[in-house]
Amino acid sequence: MKKLLLAIGLFLLFVASGQAEERKPLLIPGKTALYQRVLSIPEARLMDQPGDAQGMAVTPFSAFYVYERKQQNGQEWLLLGTDRHGGLSGWMPARDSIAWNQGLTVEFKDPAGHDRVLMLKDKAALKALAKPGAEQAYAELYRQAVEGALPADSPVVAIQPAGHIDIRKDFYLVPILDFEDTWLGSEQARLLKIASVPLESPADKPATAENDEYTAGLVFVIDASLSMDEYIERTREAVMKIYDQLGDAGQLGKVDFGLVAFRDNAGSVPGLDYTAKTWVTLEEGRNPGAFLEKVDQLSAARVSSRDFREDAYAGLQQAIKGMHWQGHDARYIVLITDAGAREADDPLSTTGLSTEAVRQLAQDNGIAIFVLHLKTPAVMADHQAAEAQYQELSDFPGIGSLYYGVPTGDLAEFGAVLDSLAGQISAQVAQGLNKPRMDSPEIRNNPRLAELQGKVEKLGYALRMQYLRQRKGGRLPRVFDAWMLDRAIREPQRQVVEVRVLLTRDQLSDLHDVLQQVLRTAEEGLLSPQNFLDELKSLAATISRNPEELGRTTATTAGEGNSLVDMGFIGDYIEGLPYTGEVMSLSLEDWQSWPVRRQVDFLRRLEDKITYYRALHDNTDLWISLDQGPVSGDSVFPLPLDMLP
C-alpha cells in the first residue's frame, strides 16, 4: 500500500511539475519567441479572481507578462505574472493596462512657435489629413482644437498641451502600440497608434501664481589656464552688475550664480594644481558677498598646458553633476574658453566623455549650455575645429546652437555679450529688471549678438511656459488611445516627437556591463566582424523589446554560445519595431566597405555611450521612482533612442 501511495504521489508530482513547465505566457500573435506584456496604469490593482472588487495596489507602470485572457461579465481580464517562468501575480482588468510589446515610448517636442500635435480617433481620419489637398480641413480641425471648440463628432481626441512637458521632470508615458509608414509631402513619416498615461492627475499639483518662486541657476564654467585673468575679472564684473540690479529691484535670490574653473589634466602638468574645481556653489552664489569673496581667490594658471586644448568637459561635468540644481526652474551654464575641449578619445581627457555625451548629460538635467568662444590669436590653428565642437555642444532642442565666437578674443566685445546674456537671463526670471534692449545701437551693429538674444528670448519663453504648465497642472488626458503623425503636417521636415526607451537603473547598469564586455571581447579578437555585429544587433533588439532579458540574448553574455541571430529569433525582435538604431541596418558588407577611420569612429561612439551610461547611472537626481520611494534599481529613466548601441 505504501508503495502504491508513493507511486501515486510521484506520478502527481510529475504531472504537477509537467504542468508548471508548460505554463508559459501568451505569445504575441505572429511571433515565436516574444511574449505578450503589459504595463499597469496608475491606480491599477491585482485581484485573486476575475470580477473581484478588492485587490492589491500596483506600482504604476509595472511590467507584467500575460498568461491568460478571460471574459467576465462583458469585461476582459488578464492573468499576469512578473516573469516568463510561471510566477503568477493575479488578475487585472485589461482596461487598467496598456500593451507593452516593445519598450519604445515617445516624448513630445516643445511646440513653441509650431503647431501642436493633433491626436485622432482612428488611422483612416489621420491618413486623410496627411494627403495632399487636405490643408484646409487640417487648418479647421487645428483651429477648433486650439480654441477648445471641437464638435461631438470630431475625429480629434486631444491636442498636445501648449506648454512643453519635460518627460524627465514631469514623467509620462506615451507607448507606441502600432504604426504604419507613410509619406508627408516629400518626407517619410510614420502614423503612430499611441496610449497616453501621465503619472499624476491634474489635481495632484496645486496651481500657483504666474510669478511665484520662479528661479534660475546660472553657472559660469570658465577656462582658468594661462592668460585668462582679464576674462575672469570681466566675468566677475558682469555678475556684480546683475547683483546690483537684482538688489535694486528687490529680487535677490531669484537668480543664483555659481562658478567652476577648469584647466587641463593636472596629472600631466602638476603645476596646474587642479583639473576642475568648484569655486562658488549655487547656494553660496545667492549671496553677492560670498560670490565676491570666492571669486577674488580665483586666478589663471601660471604654467602652460600640454597643448592648445584644455579639459573643458571636466569643468562641465563638475557643473552638471556637482551643483545642486534642484529648486531652479531655469538652468543655464555659460562656458567661457579660448581653447577646444579634449574629446573622449584624447589620452589626456579625465572624463572620457564626448561632445555628444556631455550635451546629452546636460539636457538630461534640463540645462542649456551657452558657449562664449574666445578666438584669441594664440590658438588660431584650433579655432575652426573648436567652433564646430562647441556649436554641437551648445545645440538646444527647438532653439539651435547657443554659441558665440568672439573674434580675436576682444575683451570689450566679450564683456558686452556677457552683460547682455546674463542680463537677459536674469530679466526673464526676476520682476522689475530691465532686459538689454534688442534695438540698441550696440545690438544693431552686431547681428550675431542680436541672433543670440533672439535665441535667449525663445529659450526663456519655453522654460517659463514649462514652469507655468507644471504649476497650473496642465496635463495630457489621463488615459486614451489615439493616432498621430511623428512629423508636423504643415512642416513635414520637423519631427514632433523624440523616441525613447524606458529602462530601469538596474537595466542601464546591465546594458553598460554587456556592451563593455562585447567590446572587450571584440578587441581581444575573440569575435569575428560578423559575430561582433550580430552581438550588437542582439543587444539593441533586446533593449528595444524586452530589457529584462539583457545578458541572455548575446553569445558573449549568455554562456550558451548563441546570440538572437544564431537562434533565429532576431526577426521576431526586430519586425514590428517602428524605430531602430543604426546598427540594425548595418551589414557585414557595409562594415567591410568602410575605411578604417569610419570603423574606429563607430567603435569610439560605442565607448562614448558606455561612459554616458555610467554617468547617467550615477546621477541619482535624474531617476524616477514610480512608487514614490527613494531611488533604487527599479527607478526608471527614458533613454533617448540615439543613445542605444
Side-chain angles (χ1 to χ4, degrees):
M1 186 66 179
K2 289 183 178 179
K3 289 182 179 181
L4 178 60
L5 291 174
L6 179 59
I8 293 172
L10 290 173
F11 174 75
L12 292 175
L13 182 61
F14 172 77
V15 172
S17 63
Q19 288 176 338
E21 288 175 5
E22 292 173 0
R23 194 80 196 228
K24 294 289 186 183
L26 301 176
L27 287 167
I28 297 172
K31 302 294 183 184
T32 60
L34 284 172
Y35 299 110
Q36 295 180 29
R37 298 165 71 231
V38 296
L39 287 176
S40 60
I41 68 171
E43 301 177 8
R45 290 180 174 272
L46 282 169
M47 318 294 183
D48 291 334
Q49 297 294 331
D52 285 357
Q54 300 294 326
M56 180 180 65
V58 179
T59 300
F61 311 123
S62 296
F64 295 98
Y65 288 87
V66 180
Y67 279 82
E68 187 178 338
R69 293 178 179 270
K70 184 175 183 179
Q71 293 290 326
Q72 180 81 14
N73 297 327
Q75 182 178 348
E76 185 179 27
W77 287 76
L78 308 178
L79 179 59
L80 305 177
T82 54
D83 58 49
R84 57 189 179 90
H85 305 294
L88 301 180
S89 303
W91 291 87
M92 180 184 292
R95 69 187 181 198
D96 290 342
S97 70
I98 52 176
W100 193 240
N101 293 333
Q102 39 83 3
L104 301 183
T105 182
V106 297
E107 176 189 15
F108 290 100
K109 291 189 175 182
D110 190 344
H114 304 278
D115 280 1
R116 291 142 64 187
V117 179
L118 290 183
M119 288 158 263
L120 278 73
K121 294 177 183 176
D122 59 69
K123 182 168 58 174
L126 182 59
K127 290 176 79 169
L129 284 185
K131 290 180 179 178
E135 294 82 4
Q136 188 173 349
Y138 169 78
E140 178 60 17
L141 282 177
Y142 187 78
R143 180 193 64 78
Q144 292 173 348
V146 169
E147 295 176 359
L150 290 168
D153 61 349
S154 174
V156 176
V157 177
I159 184 172
Q160 177 188 4
H164 178 50
I165 305 174
D166 189 335
I167 196 171
R168 295 152 300 191
K169 296 179 181 178
D170 190 12
F171 181 69
Y172 63 91
L173 263 185
V174 183
I176 302 171
L177 308 181
D178 196 4
F179 76 100
E180 182 178 316
D181 289 327
T182 189
W183 287 93
L184 193 61
S186 60
E187 298 286 342
Q188 187 168 14
R190 286 181 177 86
L191 304 159
L192 302 178
K193 184 180 182 182
I194 59 166
S196 174
V197 187
L199 180 59
E200 302 169 8
S201 66
D204 290 333
K205 284 191 177 182
T208 59
E210 179 171 332
N211 294 306
D212 184 33
E213 300 304 321
Y214 182 57
T215 61
L218 175 55
V219 175
F220 296 94
V221 177
I222 191 164
D223 185 340
S225 58
L226 198 65
S227 304
M228 285 291 291
D229 274 325
E230 59 183 352
Y231 300 104
I232 294 172
E233 176 57 30
R234 187 61 181 83
T235 301
R236 172 188 174 280
E237 179 186 330
V239 176
M240 296 315 296
K241 284 182 182 179
I242 301 300
Y243 273 133
D244 289 342
Q245 294 172 22
L246 289 167
D248 292 343
Q251 295 289 299
L252 279 175
K254 288 287 185 143
V255 186
D256 297 335
F257 296 96
L259 191 141
V260 172
F262 68 89
R263 290 171 176 170
D264 199 13
N265 188 323
S268 64
V269 183
L272 292 175
D273 297 332
Y274 59 84
T275 303
K277 181 177 179 180
T278 299
W279 287 86
V280 184
T281 67
L282 285 169
E283 291 87 346
E284 294 167 337
R286 188 166 299 177
N287 183 296
F291 185 93
L292 182 62
E293 179 185 354
K294 295 279 188 177
V295 176
D296 279 347
Q297 301 170 28
L298 171 62
S299 60
R302 296 295 174 254
V303 298
S304 298
S305 304
R306 286 279 294 273
D307 52 37
F308 50 75
R309 297 215 156 217
E310 309 289 352
D311 203 356
Y313 293 165
L316 287 172
Q317 185 182 48
Q318 180 99 344
I320 294 168
K321 298 178 65 176
M323 288 289 175
H324 186 71
W325 291 99
Q326 288 82 355
H328 296 91
D329 303 291
R331 303 172 181 184
Y332 307 95
I333 286 176
V334 179
L335 173 65
I336 301 169
T337 183
D338 67 348
R342 297 201 181 278
E343 283 284 355
D345 60 340
D346 191 316
L348 295 181
S349 168
T350 61
T351 66
L353 293 172
S354 65
T355 300
E356 180 187 15
V358 175
R359 185 189 66 216
Q360 187 63 53
L361 195 60
Q363 290 178 12
D364 290 343
N365 285 270
I367 301 169
I369 298 179
F370 292 86
V371 178
L372 299 187
H373 179 202
L374 307 166
K375 296 184 173 182
T376 55
V379 289
M380 187 175 296
D382 188 46
H383 287 170
Q384 188 174 356
E387 179 175 345
Q389 185 181 41
Y390 290 140
Q391 288 271 10
E392 179 186 355
L393 174 72
S394 61
D395 187 65
F396 193 88
I399 305 295
S401 179
L402 304 173
Y403 167 90
Y404 189 96
V406 182
T408 71
D410 182 79
L411 184 63
E413 183 170 346
F414 165 74
V417 174
L418 189 61
D419 286 345
S420 173
L421 178 59
Q424 193 176 0
I425 289 173
S426 299
Q428 288 174 346
V429 177
Q431 302 172 60
L433 255 65
N434 294 319
K435 66 181 179 182
R437 288 174 48 209
M438 297 186 70
D439 63 344
S440 66
E442 186 178 61
I443 304 302
R444 284 200 304 270
N445 296 329
N446 188 340
R448 291 190 305 117
L449 180 53
E451 181 184 3
L452 181 64
Q453 279 200 329
K455 290 179 178 178
V456 176
E457 189 79 14
K458 187 176 179 182
L459 176 62
Y461 175 79
L463 294 176
R464 165 68 77 174
M465 290 302 101
Q466 174 181 294
Y467 166 80
L468 292 177
R469 190 209 56 72
Q470 289 172 343
R471 294 301 187 270
K472 294 187 176 182
R475 300 292 172 97
L476 289 166
R478 186 159 180 75
V479 180
F480 66 87
D481 289 352
W483 284 87
M484 59 165 283
L485 275 163
D486 67 352
R487 290 183 178 271
I489 288 182
R490 285 194 272 214
E491 299 174 87
Q493 73 282 0
R494 177 176 175 263
Q495 290 273 1
V496 298
V497 294
E498 180 178 11
V499 182
R500 291 176 174 265
V501 179
L502 189 69
L503 294 182
T504 68
R505 198 159 175 251
D506 282 347
Q507 288 164 358
L508 182 75
S509 178
D510 290 343
L511 174 59
H512 170 278
D513 294 345
V514 173
L515 182 56
Q516 191 172 51
Q517 191 172 345
V518 169
L519 277 179
R520 186 184 304 119
T521 306
E523 289 168 356
E524 291 171 355
L526 301 179
L527 289 175
S528 67
Q530 181 62 67
N531 289 338
F532 172 59
L533 295 179
D534 288 349
E535 293 287 84
L536 293 179
K537 289 181 181 181
S538 294
L539 185 55
T542 304
I543 286 291
S544 299
R545 277 290 190 187
N546 195 355
E548 285 97 338
E549 296 300 301
L550 268 169
R552 300 190 185 97
T553 52
T554 71
T556 301
T557 55
E560 299 169 1
N562 290 309
S563 68
L564 279 179
V565 178
D566 299 326
M567 293 183 288
F569 293 152
I570 193 70
D572 260 14
Y573 274 67
I574 295 177
E575 289 169 7
L577 282 179
Y579 301 92
T580 56
E582 65 174 330
V583 73
M584 293 297 196
S585 58
L586 185 59
S587 67
L588 179 61
E589 291 73 21
D590 294 332
W591 177 264
Q592 291 176 335
S593 70
W594 285 0
V596 172
R597 179 172 181 79
R598 187 171 177 185
Q599 293 180 352
V600 170
D601 287 343
F602 177 81
L603 295 174
R604 187 174 296 145
R605 289 199 300 274
L606 292 178
E607 291 172 346
D608 290 345
K609 288 172 181 177
I610 290 173
T611 306
Y612 168 73
Y613 298 155
R614 184 165 58 247
L616 175 60
H617 179 275
D618 294 343
N619 195 332
T620 55
D621 292 338
L622 296 177
W623 291 89
I624 302 149
S625 294
L626 300 175
D627 61 0
Q628 308 301 321
V631 171
S632 67
D634 292 326
S635 300
V636 299
F637 181 83
L639 187 75
L641 186 66
D642 291 343
M643 298 310 291
L644 290 186

